[in-house]
């Protein structure tokens, strides 16, 4: 079984490698803003799952997969209050976001979408993992210093739990791996429900 990760996230790749999986990485560039606009009437979990599905399906359509393959699409967003946010991209947005979420609790949503099989004969399944994240009450100086590192600019919710941002997360309720970007227990469950045997993916 070939494994393909439809994501450019180094954290997702490292998580899979640490679990004994060594996927081929194929970056699926999708118009996230347009997809979110189309899914505006869906619940928050549906919006994130929709992005993961689009990534996996784009890779599936990009080539002829003649040997058995498992394509994994993922996308993460943070629900803070009633606002669903992704990557801030700019220092200003990251700073404003941290000023709003410091000392508060958010929900990190990670959509997962699997395609297992070969081209023209895919089995598909989508699920969303939900993990509660408690943030420390950072000072303005700490926020400025963190934003200046550049780390929060290109990660969902403007924080990491496995790098510099880990010191600013006081606790999580749920799967740690999901906060990093991909839930290993959920992935195993989905793969098993599609007829796969998880140890077959170990390399």
């Amino acid at each position: 079984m070939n494994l393909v990760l439809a994501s450019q996230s180094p954290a997702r790749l490292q998580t899979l490698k640490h679990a004994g999986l060594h996927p081929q990485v194929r970056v699926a560039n999708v118009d996230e803003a347009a997809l979110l606009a189309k899914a505006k009437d869906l619940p928050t979990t549906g919006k994130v799952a929709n992005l993961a599905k689009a990534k996996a399906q784009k890779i599936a359509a990009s080539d002829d997969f003649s040997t058995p393959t498992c394509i994994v699409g993922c996308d993460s967003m943070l629900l803070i209050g009633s606002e669903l946010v992704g990557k801030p991209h700019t220092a200003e947005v990251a700073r404003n976001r941290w000023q709003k979420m410091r000392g508060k609790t958010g929900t990190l949503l990670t959509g997962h979408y699997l395609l297992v099989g070969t081209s023209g004969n895919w089995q598909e399944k989508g699920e969303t993992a939900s993990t509660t994240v408690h943030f420390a009450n950072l000072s303005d100086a700490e926020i400025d210093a963190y934003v200046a590192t550049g780390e929060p600019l290109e990660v969902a919710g403007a924080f990491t739990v496995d790098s510099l941002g880990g010191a600013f997360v006081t606790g999580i309720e749920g799967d740690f791996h999901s906060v990093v970007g991909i839930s290993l227990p959920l992935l195993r469950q989905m793969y098993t429900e599609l007829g796969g045997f998880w140890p077959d993916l170990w390399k």
Side-chain angles (χ1 to χ4, degrees), residues 147-170:
V147 171
T149 68
E151 180 181 272
L153 273 59
E154 297 301 326
V155 289
F159 77 97
T160 65
V161 71
D162 59 338
S163 191
L164 299 178
F168 306 136
V169 175
T170 60

Side-chain angles (χ1 to χ4, degrees), residues 31 40 74 124 161 181:
D31 189 339
K40 59 183 175 62
C74 287
E124 305 184 32
V161 71

Side-chain angles (χ1 to χ4, degrees), residues 41-181:
D41 294 328
L42 291 178
T44 52
T45 53
K47 292 175 182 176
V48 179
N50 210 41
L51 292 173
K53 179 179 180 178
K55 291 179 178 180
Q57 290 185 335
K58 183 166 185 177
I59 295 304
S62 70
D63 204 346
D64 180 22
F65 293 92
S66 57
T67 58
T69 301
C70 175
I71 300 175
V72 182
C74 287
D75 199 275
S76 298
M77 298 187 78
L78 178 70
L79 181 64
I80 187 80
S82 60
E83 187 179 9
L84 186 65
V85 297
K87 301 172 184 176
H89 297 302
T90 70
E92 180 181 6
V93 173
R95 185 177 296 106
N96 290 339
R97 193 165 294 167
W98 263 104
Q99 288 171 343
K100 291 179 181 178
M101 68 190 198
R102 59 183 167 188
K104 297 182 180 177
T105 297
T107 303
L108 199 287
L109 302 171
T110 299
H112 299 66
Y113 203 83
L114 292 192
L115 288 94
V116 177
T118 55
S119 292
N121 190 31
W122 295 113
Q123 295 185 77
E124 305 184 32
K125 191 170 188 63
E127 297 283 353
T128 299
S130 176
T131 305
T132 301
V133 184
H134 301 279
F135 298 107
N137 191 11
L138 276 64
S139 66
D140 287 344
E142 286 177 309
I143 291 174
D144 288 343
Y146 185 40
V147 171
T149 68
E151 180 181 272
L153 273 59
E154 297 301 326
V155 289
F159 77 97
T160 65
V161 71
D162 59 338
S163 191
L164 299 178
F168 306 136
V169 175
T170 60
I172 64 170
E173 299 166 39
D175 179 20
F176 169 85
H177 300 103
S178 178
V179 182
V180 177

